[in-house]
Amino acid sequence: MNKDDHDSRRDRELGMRRRITRRDFLNGVAITVGASLLPRSVQAQDSGPDPSAQEPLLAAGITQHDPRYYPPALTGMRGSHPGSFEAAHLTRDGNWKASATSTGETYDLIVVGGGISGLAAAYFYRKAAGNKARILILDNHDDFGGHAKRNEFRSGGRLLLANGGTFAIESPFPYSPVAHELMDELGINPPALQAKYGLPHLYDGLQSAVFFDKDTFGADRLVAGEPTRAWMEPTPKSLPWKTFLAKCPLSPEVQRDILRIESELVDYMPDVPEAEKRDRLSRMSYKDFLLKVVKADPGVVPFYQKRTHDLYGVGIDAVPALDCWALYFPGFQGMKLRRVAEGRLSFTARGAATPDQKPYHFHYPDGNASIARLLVRSLVPGSVPGNNAEDVVTARVDYTRLDRAPSPVRIRLNSTAVQVRHVGDPATAKEVEVTYALQGKACTVRGAGVVLACWNMMIPYLCAEMPEKQKEALHYGSKVPLVYTVVGVKNWTAFQKLGIQRVFCPGMYHSSVNLDWPTSIGGYKFPTSPQEPMLVRMTRTPCSPGMSARAQQMAGRYDLISTPFTTFESSIRDQLGRVLGGGGFDPGRDITAITVNRWPHGYAYEYNPLWDPDWAPGQSPCEVARQPSGRVTVANSDAAAAAYTGKAIDEGHRAVEELLGTARAAKSGT
Ligand SMILES: Cc1cc2nc3c(=O)[nH]c(=O)nc-3n(C[C@H](O)[C@H](O)[C@H](O)COP(=O)(O)OP(=O)(O)OC[C@H]3O[C@@H](n4cnc5c(N)ncnc54)[C@H](O)[C@@H]3O)c2cc1C
């Protein structure tokens, strides 16, 4: 597809019928008169115009050592923000050329990657080696936390917080004893926090809805209501499927077949033993199940296609039917499959088949950025004020303290590792040299050990000395691209008038529009009245249905990195205007700020039974990829092929244990 085709397809996808004027545009934040030239990070968002909102801090001359440096308050394009990925891409393409200067620093440990895995690795290393251990953490972003990022907004004189990435402490699997212990040591008790600070009843009376868009379904229509699932008890909110479908712009054939899928108790493989049923369902996509097994009208596909986007980053054409059964999708209710964790399920769905596990869930207002901030508070005393897992939510991080000479642990932001190599023969070397790029310059530091808590696919470009088989395995997983958009709005009366809290938009640029997840904790008070400012959450997963999941993920990455903020902004305004317009929402008047958290390298790749083989124990790509190489070990969630915080912590722990084992062996001469 050439660029013009790509652009025109994108424009069609946006369905831009509502005229949006230049005047409406924020480039991230509300525009009024009297612009300050300071970036958004150093002023309250209510205070006025900020044409420089998307400008990276360094480009504005504000470094990590400047008291004005405060990345969580930046709006516009965040996540993989401009300035964070260019050096890595130059390295990938073999075009990183700057000659390096030594900083003269030496450390006991250098960690590449300041996400949860890297921060946890530093924590575990210090715990084992003592408080004097000298540790340097390098990260290419302007903020620490990796995917666990924090977005701050100021509106109507109040602070509003959102997760820019990692949403919550939750996992289809229980946290391991190691991860549990870390959470305990940080003072985080998810069930207790949930019981004390969750606001489960805030949106009582507001329903789910589906927005059918004209381009996909022939008419723009918002249909509110929660139809009853065949196997669920009706609730006061629920309505019969037939009543719900009668309101939808869908043909009689499509309505008939959705009704069948949702409510009929049919065993579509009546004489097939259960084990074989599972096997067959693991080898076909949910889309194929609906079309070839249920024999539904193809017109049902647009209604279901994006149901798997949030969790898998691809549509139902690329998710096994067995996974969808495990996740309680409709169509299987008559198939007599028992709920046990069996069959060739992906990592995500394997956990979903064990509903009896104890709840271990909590959503901090900034998601798991609070875990990252608690780790940083522990690693660099004084950098994050406060002393418990509640006051961390409103604490303002002092970024100037993160990389100071007297501190044994230092966190250096905006620093992309471009080369990692042993000083001498990897088998006997006593040191590893790391070259990193910072503001177009290359610097070297040395460490007795290195944990690579960055993304697997980057490692072969950093470590030329690794064995070819390991490099191949490191390249295997293709991270899942996705976008978490957060929109500041003046109030949420439109949601209240429409009686809705979350909207599935199966045909639109963002596939969902939700009121933010409510939590009030410590000094942070979530808006409780519809007249108060609010954050609206939207998700987008760029996919190319019909290809393998990995091919779709590669195409999606290109899509995200090549889409300018203005395209996002116009689509957001168009979508919110159409979805909420019936409740009186006016994007030009009601939107106060937009942050697009773009993650071209999002979730870790989890093996997909539709394309990936069953590897023998020890032979899966993530296991081959995470082998230690001399004094270099590999952490991060890619090393577990599982996109979960608990797994990122486990991998940080393993990588440190391996490094300490190597150090002990070197000392004892074994
Ligand atoms: C949008 C989103 C939502 C999620 N929601 C949840 C959730 O609700 N619950 C859950 O348990 N998990 C969730 N996950 C998964 C979870 O966030 C991850 O599993 C976990 O945070 C990964 O941590 P990590 O440290 O391994 O990797 P990352 O967070 O990716 O951190 C690695 C860091 O290394 C940096 N890096 C890469 N290359 C270099 C280099 N050459 N030099 C320097 N630095 C480098 C990266 O930029 C990054 O900052 C979510 C993920 C995403 C993307």
Side-chain angles (χ1 to χ4, degrees):
M1 192 188 299
N2 66 32
K3 187 175 176 305
D4 289 346
D5 287 346
H6 185 265
D7 287 349
S8 68
R9 194 196 71 178
R10 197 158 56 196
D11 287 348
R12 279 201 307 279
E13 208 179 335
L14 296 182
M16 301 218 203
R17 276 178 309 285
R18 181 184 170 274
R19 266 187 62 76
I20 301 163
T21 62
R22 292 297 310 164
R23 183 188 56 80
D24 284 346
F25 276 63
L26 302 180
N27 282 339
V29 290
I31 294 173
T32 56
V33 184
S36 154
L37 291 177
L38 286 178
R40 177 60 34 188
S41 55
V42 292
Q43 53 177 325
Q45 281 159 41
D46 278 335
S47 66
D50 185 12
S52 61
Q54 292 176 73
E55 189 179 9
L57 288 160
L58 291 187
I62 298 176
T63 72
Q64 192 185 332
H65 305 288
D66 187 320
R68 295 173 299 169
Y69 189 95
Y70 197 66
L74 285 171
T75 54
M77 192 66 96
R78 299 296 294 153
S80 280
H81 59 80
S84 65
F85 54 85
E86 293 80 353
H89 289 181
L90 286 172
T91 306
R92 173 199 63 193
D93 300 339
N95 291 332
W96 176 259
K97 294 279 188 269
S99 59
T101 314
S102 168
T103 66
E105 295 161 285
T106 56
Y107 292 90
D108 298 308
L109 172 69
I110 299 174
V111 180
V112 178
I116 296 279
S117 197
L119 295 170
Y123 182 94
F124 292 128
Y125 187 92
R126 194 190 52 173
K127 197 171 163 185
N131 284 347
K132 291 196 179 138
R134 287 180 44 74
I135 303 172
L136 175 68
I137 301 167
L138 298 169
D139 197 279
N140 57 315
H141 290 102
D142 57 14
D143 204 353
F144 57 81
H147 293 145
K149 284 281 185 339
R150 169 180 171 109
N151 293 163
E152 289 190 10
F153 299 82
R154 291 207 177 260
S155 187
R158 67 188 300 160
L159 174 69
L160 292 175
L161 297 175
N163 55 298
T166 319
F167 168 68
I169 299 163
E170 62 171 3
S171 169
F173 288 91
Y175 275 38
S176 69
V178 161
H180 250 292
E181 192 173 302
L182 175 67
M183 299 288 274
D184 283 349
E185 287 172 9
L186 295 176
I188 304 173
N189 179 342
L193 289 170
Q194 179 56 35
K196 194 167 169 197
Y197 295 118
L199 297 172
H201 300 297
L202 181 62
Y203 300 140
D204 277 1
L206 301 183
Q207 297 185 303
S208 301
V210 179
F211 185 81
F212 295 89
D213 64 290
K214 191 167 180 210
D215 288 343
T216 316
F217 298 98
D220 270 4
R221 195 176 303 167
L222 182 74
V223 181
E226 288 160 23
T228 322
R229 286 272 158 95
W231 58 91
M232 286 168 112
E233 286 292 313
T235 68
K237 283 188 199 170
S238 55
L239 77 165
W241 264 101
K242 218 172 178 170
T243 316
F244 176 83
L245 287 166
K247 299 184 202 171
C248 303
L250 299 168
S251 71
E253 296 74 31
V254 172
Q255 292 194 25
R256 178 202 63 208
D257 281 359
I258 293 178
L259 189 62
R260 268 199 315 122
I261 293 164
E262 296 285 347
S263 48
E264 276 187 0
L265 294 172
V266 177
D267 187 348
Y268 296 102
M269 299 176 187
D271 300 320
V272 180
E274 187 178 350
E276 198 185 324
K277 273 185 194 168
R278 286 174 190 276
D279 189 56
R280 286 192 200 172
L281 291 172
S282 76
R283 292 174 198 282
M284 70 174 79
S285 69
Y286 184 57
K287 180 180 172 188
D288 280 350
F289 171 74
L290 294 180
L291 297 185
K292 296 180 183 164
V293 177
V294 179
K295 301 205 183 317
D297 186 292
V300 305
V301 172
F303 185 70
Y304 291 109
Q305 175 64 23
K306 294 188 178 177
R307 296 279 163 123
T308 48
H309 271 206
D310 273 12
L311 209 50
Y312 289 80
V314 281
I316 60 167
D317 59 297
V319 176
L322 190 63
D323 278 39
C324 291
W325 160 76
L327 294 165
Y328 295 89
F329 276 42
F332 306 100
Q333 55 271 19
M335 291 194 66
K336 303 183 190 78
L337 295 166
R338 282 167 303 153
R339 295 231 157 248
V340 285
E342 275 176 15
R344 299 179 70 243
L345 293 158
S346 76
F347 195 95
T348 302
R350 262 182 281 148
T354 57
D356 52 342
Q357 79 185 57
K358 286 202 187 107
Y360 192 71
H361 173 97
F362 183 61
H363 168 74
Y364 272 105
D366 61 0
N368 290 4
S370 278
I371 301 181
R373 286 154 62 89
L374 285 166
L375 282 164
V376 170
R377 176 188 276 173
S378 160
L379 291 167
V380 187
S383 60
V384 184
N387 50 34
N388 61 48
E390 298 169 15
D391 63 18
V392 72
V393 173
T394 45
R396 187 182 164 94
V397 174
D398 182 351
Y399 285 84
T400 67
R401 288 178 180 258
L402 295 184
D403 188 14
R404 280 193 189 165
S407 171
V409 181
R410 299 173 69 168
I411 301 173
R412 196 160 295 165
L413 299 168
N414 305 298
S415 301
T416 307
V418 292
Q419 189 180 62
V420 177
R421 60 174 192 92
H422 287 85
V423 183
D425 181 351
T428 53
K430 298 262 182 301
E431 276 188 320
V432 183
E433 184 179 76
V434 177
T435 308
Y436 64 90
L438 171 61
Q439 292 196 279
K441 297 196 179 111
C443 307
T444 61
V445 284
R446 287 188 178 191
V450 170
V451 169
L452 295 174
C454 54
W455 301 328
N456 268 8
M457 59 174 61
M458 183 67 199
I459 294 175
Y461 303 113
L462 302 181
C463 299
E465 62 193 24
M466 272 189 178
E468 288 310 313
K469 191 174 170 224
Q470 186 169 5
K471 286 187 196 162
E472 205 180 300
L474 283 156
H475 273 306
Y476 188 87
S478 177
K479 282 175 101 65
V480 177
L482 71 165
V483 180
Y484 278 10
T485 292
V486 188
V487 181
V489 293
K490 284 194 175 138
N491 57 60
W492 42 297
T493 52
F495 284 87
Q496 194 202 28
K497 279 183 196 144
L498 294 166
I500 56 171
Q501 56 163 303
R502 53 172 175 259
V503 188
F504 176 50
C505 307
M508 298 189 93
Y509 195 68
H510 285 81
S511 55
S512 60
V513 174
N514 298 343
L515 287 172
D516 195 17
W517 187 273
T519 313
S520 285
I521 172 168
Y524 181 71
K525 301 287 171 248
F526 193 84
T528 50
S529 152
Q531 277 72 36
E532 290 179 282
M534 172 59 99
L535 299 178
V536 175
R537 312 292 316 235
M538 303 172 79
T539 52
R540 169 168 169 75
T541 318
C543 296
S544 309
M547 303 197 285
S548 73
R550 289 168 76 211
Q552 293 199 43
Q553 277 136 21
M554 281 181 235
R557 249 198 315 281
Y558 173 77
D559 179 293
L560 282 196
I561 215 72
S562 60
T563 303
F565 181 79
T566 47
T567 302
F568 276 101
E569 179 164 0
S570 55
S571 75
I572 291 160
R573 291 176 170 283
D574 173 69
Q575 187 164 349
L576 291 183
R578 286 160 65 191
V579 171
L580 301 173
F585 187 83
D586 175 352
R589 181 195 63 209
D590 295 330
I591 292 177
T592 55
I594 298 172
T595 295
V596 173
N597 295 287
R598 160 181 78 175
W599 297 111
H601 302 272
Y603 298 153
Y605 182 74
E606 296 180 5
Y607 300 126
N608 185 325
L610 292 182
W611 289 282
D612 297 315
D614 270 341
W615 284 282
Q619 296 306 308
S620 70
C622 75
E623 290 166 291
V624 176
R626 69 186 183 216
Q627 293 310 306
S629 174
R631 289 173 173 269
V632 176
T633 60
V634 178
N636 83 66
S637 61
D638 289 344
Y644 297 98
T645 300
K647 294 290 166 187
I649 294 170
D650 291 346
E651 295 305 315
H653 184 260
R654 177 197 42 75
V656 165
E657 287 293 299
E658 287 170 352
L659 208 53
L660 292 169
T662 305
R664 278 192 290 268
K667 218 170 184 177
S668 66
T670 54

